[in-house]
Amino acid sequence: MRSGRSLAAAPFCLGLNVRRSSGGRGYCLLQCALRIPSSVPVSPQESLAMELSDANLQTLTEYLKKTLDPDPAIRRPAEKFLESVEGNQNYPLLLLTLLEKSQDNVIKVCASVTFKNYIKRNWRIVEDEPNKICEADRVAIKANIVHLMLSSPEQIQKQLSDAISIIGREDFPQKWPDLLTEMVNRFQSGDFHVINGVLRTAHSLFKRYRHEFKSNELWTEIKLVLDAFALPLTNLFKATIELCSTHANDASALRILFSSLILISKLFYSLNFQDLPEFFEDNMETWMNNFHTLLTLDNKLLQTDDEEEAGLLELLKSQICDNAALYAQKYDEEFQRYLPRFVTAIWNLLVTTGQEVKYDLLVSNAIQFLASVCERPHYKNLFEDQNTLTSICEKVIVPNMEFRAADEEAFEDNSEEYIRRDLEGSDIDTRRRAACDLVRGLCKFFEGPVTGIFSGYVNSMLQEYAKNPSVNWKHKDAAIYLVTSLASKAQTQKHGITQANELVNLTEFFVNHILPDLKSPNVNEFPVLKADGIKYIMIFRNQVPKEHLLVSIPLLINHLQAESIVVHTYAAHALERLFTMRGPNNATLFTAAEIAPFVEILLTNLFKALTLPGSSENEYIMKAIMRSFSLLQEAIIPYIPTLITQLTQKLLAVSKNPSKPHFNHYMFEAICLSIRITCKANPAAVVNFEEALFLVFTEILQNDVQEFIPYVFQVMSLLLETHKNDIPSSYMALFPHLLQPVLWERTGNIPALVRLLQAFLERGSNTIASAAADKIPGLLGVFQKLIASKANDHQGFYLLNSIIEHMPPESVDQYRKQIFLLLFQRLQNSKTTKFIKNHLLKHEISFALMNRMFGMVLEKIIIPEIQKVSGNVEKKICAVGITKLLTECPPMMDTEYTKLWTPLLQSLIGLFELPEDDTVPDEEHFIDIEDTPGYQTAFSQLAFAGKKEHDPVGQMVNNPKIHLAQSLHKLSTACPGRVPSMVSTSLNAEALQYLQGYLQAASVTLL
């Protein structure tokens, strides 16, 4: 239902559209605590106004304080209360007033964070959904936020700056045309607190240009920004550099000025990323000369004693290296005359910078610059000389591949971050990753010489290790890393190395240097080398022969017991990757029979690993458990009673405070696999799973654990579908609650709830029709809500398909006309490709032969749009529906609809024979749930809870083309002479030829 319509006007009671703030309890609290006048009338989806009063500010202060309380019993009700009132007018203005006027700095910061998160959740206007922020509040926010941000302390300024960039992402430039002017004017203030606030906001606003796809709309926006911003930014850049010279001996002034220069350099990168703007090309001399000067600058006042944290000077030089790399990669022709100077400056920077952690970003960006330059064909002359290559290897690559004390500390004490960087590819800013990229870049043109130089280094490192392993183990670590970077030419997360350096013998290195470490009985000895060896297996799994990988599997299982978090995590991840490998015919490379000897120790060690310190919610271990179940199938059945107990205990524990989304997802996948595998062999076992799981599910639903509710509904769907007879009473008791509006308010619940309702309809339609007939309007009300939304209309169709297919016809007959009116109304008001693709035809359009609407539907929708239908089953259903209309619907032959008979037949033959029309109009790019700003529990499909594709006409029709031919033959028997005449005079030659082929295949003729 659209927001403008009254509830009484709805075809049947939905009960899902009246929203007084966000729930009844919140509304009562709202009246009591925030003194909202109770006389304010509330219409559907209309928010209440909150007074901008001292009393409300005081109430808000108290609730914000409670949200900071470590006690969940105090914190969660306060969070729920704020969530319940945020839909009301003036709420965001109360927050802004509070952060401006409050004397308590903690409350000011809390209000600023709450405001930013509120904007993130609610600012975007989603079509067909209510506007969550009233227009008056939007106008007031945009009128005041820039001034408030610039006059706030830095901690609050950053939060408001982020909020402005979120608003700007939606409203700038069309709905906020004066934002840029207001910001640029502040450059004249001379106050660098204000200027840095503007720069920080501009950076938040413009950094998306780095990853947006090219489009006319984007380029128009960038041109507008450049016209207003490029010259003032350049002038500010020059003025700031002059001020740096003037205040060269003033440390506090330099810190502020260098903060500005970092932001200016970041803005330069964003504004130049899509294409080289004419303005910056004309002013390249100014920018590049100053960048070069700053790159070679060394001011003692800006040097820091901190060995961990990068100082302002390092951050600025890092960004300048990025800017130079951008120009070298994308605008090499224009940048060519500046390049030699930058290569020299960055080379000098690399050979003079120490090994301290604070220089990591600078060194990695500097190396990345060299990597980007050496890959370009017309710069290769800079690297051709053997001495140059040797020097780069010796002075840049090898030193930056060494395992430092800081790396060892991270390995032992911050393993989660170490794994994230090393395993997940988020090590883009590490020295090792940059050095590896440089090796890859050099190998593009100089693979032979570089391999020769490094082979010498690898051999000498391994010799050093052999002399005294316990002291020199870091030499072997560097050697393994060097071999890995040298051999890896192309790599993906899914498949490991896909292209290797043929000059490196990977199997020989594996047998001689990797396998011995893993065969050592002490899994806790040399943990870094163990991790290196396991990672080698992961990376080169496609290059190492299967027999060697099979030897590795028991060794990896053994390393699941290692005390080191990194080692047992890598072991779990390696097993999971090996179990997904594909062999001939796309079957898994390793069969269940090959892994069978290790089943018990594999499952035991995987679950034991979850009890090791630091790994209670280790996503890699849980993913390995899931993958092991999937590979081993019925081999795990004897262990299921023990395993499901451990899984439910883990589920109960993590539901108290869900914090690891990937771990949680794989845990639910493992539960689904347990159910599927066991119940396939013994369907009666479903009762045992229900007994084990329902207590935990009840607790999750009662405590409203939002992250888990969509998963619970999916698992319940799987359990319910496993029942072969009627729905158990325990499920029927739940059925009315599934129709409650509050559940459908959360977008993440919708696919899972629809799936669960489909399971109810599939297994218990007769029970629903007899014992819960009063709930059918509510069920159809859910359908009505879903088809009103462009994001969820397909879910509405899934539900309607199940209602039509499974419910006894007499229980829904009275609603058919209203259903059709709703569908037709939506098509008139908002026809979209996705809506059409969910085919009206599934729903027996023949019942709609009324008020001349049928002809309009055929002419305007079905005939021109049927080509957009996709999927074999979907096409088959449509074909059967159209065939029925053509051959079993008398009005098609004897009324004003007769003129549409041949075009409809032509469109059906097109559905069979023409390519699918998968074009989507520009205005129909739907927002995925996961892409909406702000946190709302997103729906994650459980792969192992998925249902098989259902073909409702499968028993009646095997081949839809043969079915069409037979049906036309039957029609022509009833109306001799008419069908051949209509076909031969109106059908085009190509379609006629196809039709004759169908008739021959069916061994029938038209009479």
Side-chain angles (χ1 to χ4, degrees):
M1 189 193 306
R2 302 185 80 82
S3 56
R5 296 180 60 198
S6 70
L7 197 62
F12 30 72
C13 180
L14 180 54
L16 286 167
N17 288 309
V18 176
R19 222 180 135 195
R20 297 183 169 226
S21 80
S22 294
R25 183 169 175 273
Y27 179 50
C28 300
L29 284 168
L30 202 66
Q31 282 192 309
C32 301
L34 292 181
R35 306 173 196 277
I36 294 169
S38 57
S39 59
V40 174
V42 182
S43 63
Q45 293 172 347
E46 187 179 300
S47 61
L48 299 163
M50 298 165 70
E51 294 172 3
L52 289 167
S53 64
D54 290 342
N56 278 351
L57 286 171
Q58 183 57 40
T59 303
L60 199 54
T61 303
E62 287 167 13
Y63 276 100
L64 286 172
K65 269 183 190 166
K66 288 177 183 175
T67 63
L68 303 173
D69 199 294
D71 182 357
I74 297 171
R75 185 180 71 252
R76 281 183 185 155
E79 289 169 347
K80 289 267 185 194
F81 172 76
L82 291 177
E83 190 184 323
S84 76
V85 300
E86 71 174 22
N88 297 286
Q89 190 176 342
N90 291 338
Y91 172 76
L93 305 184
L94 276 168
L95 285 172
L96 290 179
T97 306
L98 199 59
L99 69 87
E100 184 181 23
K101 293 186 175 177
S102 175
Q103 302 301 308
D104 185 338
N105 198 49
V106 172
I107 292 299
K108 286 165 83 96
V109 173
C110 185
S112 69
V113 173
T114 304
F115 176 80
K116 180 193 74 176
N117 290 335
Y118 164 83
I119 294 294
K120 198 187 277 189
R121 275 195 305 274
N122 300 308
W123 193 272
R124 175 179 282 174
I125 298 172
V126 179
E127 194 176 355
D128 290 324
E129 304 244 336
N131 186 344
K132 295 177 183 173
I133 303 177
C134 74
E135 197 54 39
D137 283 357
R138 289 176 183 271
V139 171
I141 288 167
K142 287 189 284 193
N144 293 293
I145 191 168
V146 174
H147 169 75
L148 190 56
M149 181 269 292
L150 295 173
S151 58
S152 298
E154 189 173 341
Q155 199 176 4
I156 293 169
Q157 193 179 78
K158 285 178 179 175
Q159 300 298 330
L160 294 181
S161 174
D162 285 348
I164 291 170
S165 73
I166 295 163
I167 296 169
R169 178 74 182 84
E170 301 299 319
D171 288 16
F172 175 79
Q174 283 85 2
K175 295 182 187 174
W176 203 355
D178 54 347
L179 171 63
L180 217 51
T181 312
E182 188 177 356
M183 285 166 58
V184 168
N185 288 343
R186 302 287 181 154
F187 283 162
Q188 311 303 321
S189 67
D191 179 348
F192 270 85
H193 174 73
V194 170
I195 289 168
N196 282 356
V198 171
L199 292 171
R200 196 175 292 114
T201 305
H203 172 54
S204 296
L205 206 53
F206 304 151
K207 68 183 176 186
R208 69 184 178 87
Y209 299 158
R210 302 176 182 192
H211 51 78
E212 290 270 320
F213 289 116
K214 291 183 177 181
S215 67
N216 289 335
E217 188 184 354
L218 177 68
W219 285 35
T220 303
E221 182 183 322
I222 293 175
K223 185 181 183 307
L224 187 145
V225 169
L226 289 166
D227 290 346
F229 208 78
L231 180 60
L233 185 71
T234 305
N235 291 337
L236 179 66
F237 181 49
K238 292 190 288 189
T240 307
I241 285 174
E242 285 176 20
L243 286 168
C244 287
S245 302
T246 309
H247 298 280
N249 298 315
D250 183 345
S252 59
L254 283 175
R255 278 194 288 274
I256 293 168
L257 293 168
F258 268 73
S259 297
S260 302
L261 288 172
I262 291 167
L263 289 165
I264 290 168
S265 299
K266 287 177 185 286
L267 284 164
F268 176 90
Y269 189 88
S270 299
L271 295 175
N272 282 272
F273 190 88
Q274 287 283 339
D275 201 358
L276 178 57
E278 190 180 336
F279 177 88
F280 285 105
E281 188 176 354
D282 294 343
N283 289 273
M284 199 182 293
E285 188 84 24
T286 299
W287 285 93
M288 291 305 155
N289 286 345
N290 283 312
F291 279 158
H292 184 263
T293 303
L294 291 168
L295 207 51
T296 55
L297 178 77
D298 189 18
N299 190 316
K300 303 286 184 207
L301 295 175
L302 288 168
Q303 290 178 355
T304 59
D305 295 329
D306 191 337
E307 290 191 1
E308 299 280 329
E309 200 71 36
L312 293 168
L313 197 58
E314 290 80 51
L315 291 172
L316 177 59
K317 289 182 177 183
S318 300
Q319 186 58 50
I320 291 171
C321 287
D322 263 357
N323 295 352
L326 176 72
Y327 266 57
Q329 279 175 323
K330 298 185 78 168
Y331 319 123
D332 44 8
E333 196 178 315
E334 294 84 354
F335 186 58
Q336 208 156 3
R337 67 193 181 99
Y338 301 99
L339 183 84
R341 275 195 288 165
F342 276 89
V343 169
T344 304
I346 288 171
W347 174 260
N348 289 334
L349 197 66
L350 282 169
V351 295
T352 57
T353 302
Q355 286 282 317
E356 291 86 357
V357 174
K358 69 176 177 180
Y359 298 123
D360 282 5
L361 182 63
L362 172 58
V363 169
S364 70
N365 282 1
I367 295 174
Q368 290 288 359
F369 167 78
L370 289 182
S372 64
V373 171
C374 74
E375 283 184 333
R376 314 297 288 182
H378 47 275
Y379 295 146
K380 71 176 185 179
N381 61 304
L382 295 171
F383 302 91
E384 276 173 339
D385 185 66
Q386 181 80 10
N387 293 328
T388 304
L389 288 173
T390 305
S391 188
I392 290 172
C393 295
E394 185 182 315
K395 294 181 177 174
V396 175
I397 292 169
V398 172
N400 287 298
M401 282 191 173
E402 288 174 1
F403 197 77
R404 299 167 301 166
D407 299 317
E408 194 173 353
E409 192 178 311
F411 184 95
E412 291 171 358
D413 302 332
N414 193 5
S415 50
E416 200 169 324
E417 177 66 12
Y418 182 92
I419 292 164
R420 188 181 68 80
R421 284 170 168 264
D422 191 44
L423 211 52
E424 296 175 15
S426 60
D427 58 346
I428 195 73
D429 57 349
T430 63
R431 293 174 184 242
R432 279 192 151 189
R433 170 67 178 271
C436 185
D437 288 346
L438 181 53
V439 172
R440 207 171 288 169
L442 290 170
C443 283
K444 187 171 182 179
F445 295 116
F446 314 107
E447 187 171 62
V450 169
T451 304
I453 293 166
F454 278 142
S455 297
Y457 279 110
V458 168
N459 289 330
S460 66
M461 287 170 173
L462 291 172
Q463 284 165 13
E464 283 298 313
Y465 165 75
K467 289 176 188 172
N468 191 344
S470 58
V471 174
N472 297 338
W473 61 266
K474 287 184 183 179
H475 288 277
K476 182 168 183 178
D477 167 79
I480 295 171
Y481 204 89
L482 209 47
V483 168
T484 303
S485 59
L486 196 59
S488 314
K489 291 175 80 170
Q491 182 175 4
T492 67
Q493 187 79 14
K494 186 175 180 181
H495 299 293
I497 296 299
T498 54
Q499 191 181 355
N501 182 338
E502 292 175 5
L503 302 175
V504 180
N505 190 327
L506 293 167
T507 304
E508 186 183 297
F509 190 85
F510 173 76
V511 171
N512 293 336
H513 302 291
I514 301 296
L515 218 45
D517 284 342
L518 297 179
K519 283 182 172 176
S520 163
N522 185 353
V523 294
N524 296 314
E525 185 184 34
F526 301 134
V528 174
L529 295 183
K530 302 277 195 196
D532 289 341
I534 296 168
K535 190 181 174 190
Y536 188 96
I537 294 172
M538 268 188 280
I539 292 175
F540 296 113
R541 60 186 182 274
N542 288 308
Q543 285 71 37
V544 174
K546 178 181 174 180
E547 59 269 23
H548 290 306
L549 294 178
L550 203 50
V551 168
S552 305
I553 286 174
L555 304 177
L556 293 170
I557 293 170
N558 202 28
H559 281 82
L560 290 168
Q561 300 178 86
E563 291 170 8
S564 163
I565 295 173
V566 176
V567 173
H568 64 242
T569 299
Y570 280 25
H573 189 49
L575 286 165
E576 191 273 330
R577 292 288 82 195
L578 291 178
F579 290 169
T580 57
M581 290 180 73
R582 296 282 161 183
N585 305 320
N586 205 33
T588 53
L589 182 66
F590 297 101
T591 63
E594 287 171 320
I595 308 300
F598 318 119
V599 171
E600 186 165 348
I601 189 69
L602 169 66
L603 295 173
T604 302
N605 284 3
L606 280 168
F607 277 89
K608 266 188 187 174
L610 288 174
T611 65
L612 293 169
S615 281
S616 62
E617 293 181 40
N618 188 317
E619 67 186 70
Y620 294 97
I621 296 171
M622 189 54 79
K623 192 176 185 183
I625 289 171
M626 174 198 78
R627 198 68 67 195
S628 301
F629 284 11
S630 177
L631 177 70
L632 294 165
Q633 291 292 315
E634 58 270 14
I636 67 166
I637 291 176
Y639 308 98
I640 286 290
T642 309
L643 300 179
I644 200 69
T645 303
Q646 293 182 63
L647 284 169
T648 49
Q649 286 170 352
K650 182 60 72 176
L651 174 58
L652 186 61
V654 298
S655 70
K656 309 293 183 196
N657 184 24
S659 58
K660 297 285 181 67
H662 289 101
F663 176 86
N664 299 334
H665 185 89
Y666 299 135
M667 175 175 56
F668 277 104
E669 292 280 21
I671 290 169
C672 290
L673 273 165
S674 305
I675 297 166
R676 268 193 187 286
I677 293 165
T678 308
C679 295
K680 185 180 175 184
N682 176 19
V686 66
V687 178
N688 301 329
F689 285 103
E690 287 166 348
E691 284 176 7
L693 292 166
F694 273 20
L695 280 173
V696 189
F697 286 179
T698 303
E699 190 157 328
I700 288 167
L701 294 170
Q702 284 178 344
N703 293 331
D704 192 25
V705 184
Q706 293 185 27
E707 297 90 337
F708 282 4
I709 288 174
Y711 288 125
V712 167
F713 289 149
Q714 288 180 80
V715 179
M716 289 184 74
S717 303
L718 179 62
L719 290 166
L720 183 50
E721 286 161 1
T722 307
H723 283 276
K724 298 302 176 192
N725 301 315
D726 283 347
I727 299 182
S729 57
S730 55
Y731 285 91
M732 277 310 297
L734 178 70
F735 181 70
H737 300 287
L738 300 178
L739 306 177
Q740 287 182 0
V742 67
L743 283 176
W744 296 86
E745 289 294 321
R746 295 179 192 149
T747 50
N749 286 352
I750 288 172
L753 276 168
V754 168
R755 164 81 191 283
L756 184 51
L757 288 178
Q758 284 182 290
F760 270 96
L761 290 162
E762 195 177 316
R763 288 286 180 267
S765 52
N766 291 324
T767 309
I768 293 169
S770 58
D774 59 323
K775 300 302 175 210
I776 294 173
L779 198 59
L780 292 166
V782 171
F783 153 73
Q784 181 185 6
K785 176 184 171 65
L786 294 174
I787 63 152
S789 157
K790 282 187 179 180
N792 295 312
D793 54 13
H794 59 295
Q795 296 290 343
F797 273 106
Y798 296 156
L799 184 58
L800 184 58
N801 291 345
S802 294
I803 292 169
I804 297 293
E805 186 181 344
H806 298 295
M807 288 296 287
E810 63 275 9
S811 66
V812 290
D813 277 347
Q814 60 182 309
Y815 304 110
R816 287 186 177 234
K817 181 177 176 181
Q818 292 153 313
I819 290 169
F820 184 77
L821 285 170
L822 276 172
L823 294 173
F824 190 69
Q825 210 167 41
R826 166 66 202 274
L827 280 162
Q828 274 188 317
N829 297 335
S830 184
K831 184 177 78 170
T832 66
T833 306
K834 185 158 68 84
F835 192 84
I836 291 157
K837 282 176 79 169
N838 280 285
H839 356 294
L840 289 163
L841 287 172
K842 287 186 186 176
H843 310 299
E844 301 172 34
I845 291 186
S846 51
F847 74 70
L849 289 165
M850 52 181 149
N851 302 331
R852 301 185 183 277
M853 284 164 56
F854 180 63
M856 290 168 60
V857 172
L858 275 181
E859 191 172 6
K860 304 290 185 190
I861 296 163
I862 296 173
I863 292 170
E865 304 284 4
I866 200 68
Q867 211 59 41
K868 288 188 162 68
V869 174
S870 59
N872 292 333
V873 173
E874 312 288 344
K875 286 184 174 182
K876 185 178 174 184
I877 294 167
C878 277
V880 171
I882 292 178
T883 300
K884 282 189 89 170
L885 287 176
L886 288 167
T887 62
E888 298 177 30
C889 185
M892 286 295 292
M893 296 294 284
D894 297 314
T895 65
E896 69 270 28
Y897 302 136
T898 307
K899 67 180 186 291
L900 298 173
W901 192 91
T902 314
L904 184 59
L905 177 60
Q906 176 101 23
S907 71
L908 175 55
I909 295 169
L911 178 67
F912 289 144
E913 307 298 346
L914 295 175
E916 180 191 327
D917 176 4
D918 57 2
T919 56
V920 177
D922 289 341
E923 70 274 10
E924 283 184 34
H925 291 291
F926 300 105
I927 299 156
D928 289 332
I929 290 165
E930 290 80 1
D931 293 341
T932 51
Y935 177 74
Q936 189 172 27
T937 306
F939 172 73
S940 295
Q941 172 72 53
L942 289 170
F944 295 108
K947 60 191 293 189
K948 289 179 182 174
E949 189 171 40
H950 173 57
D951 180 357
V953 296
Q955 291 180 331
M956 296 185 295
V957 178
N958 184 27
N959 183 328
K961 296 178 185 179
I962 301 290
H963 176 66
L964 171 64
Q966 291 168 339
S967 300
L968 286 171
H969 168 71
K970 190 176 174 184
L971 177 66
S972 73
T973 307
C975 313
R978 286 194 65 188
V979 177
S981 168
M982 292 164 76
V983 166
S984 59
T985 54
S986 305
L987 214 57
N988 72 31
E990 193 179 6
L992 189 57
Q993 194 176 350
Y994 281 124
L995 181 59
Q996 285 166 348
Y998 307 159
L999 293 165
Q1000 284 173 5
S1003 304
V1004 295
T1005 57
L1006 298 180
L1007 303 173

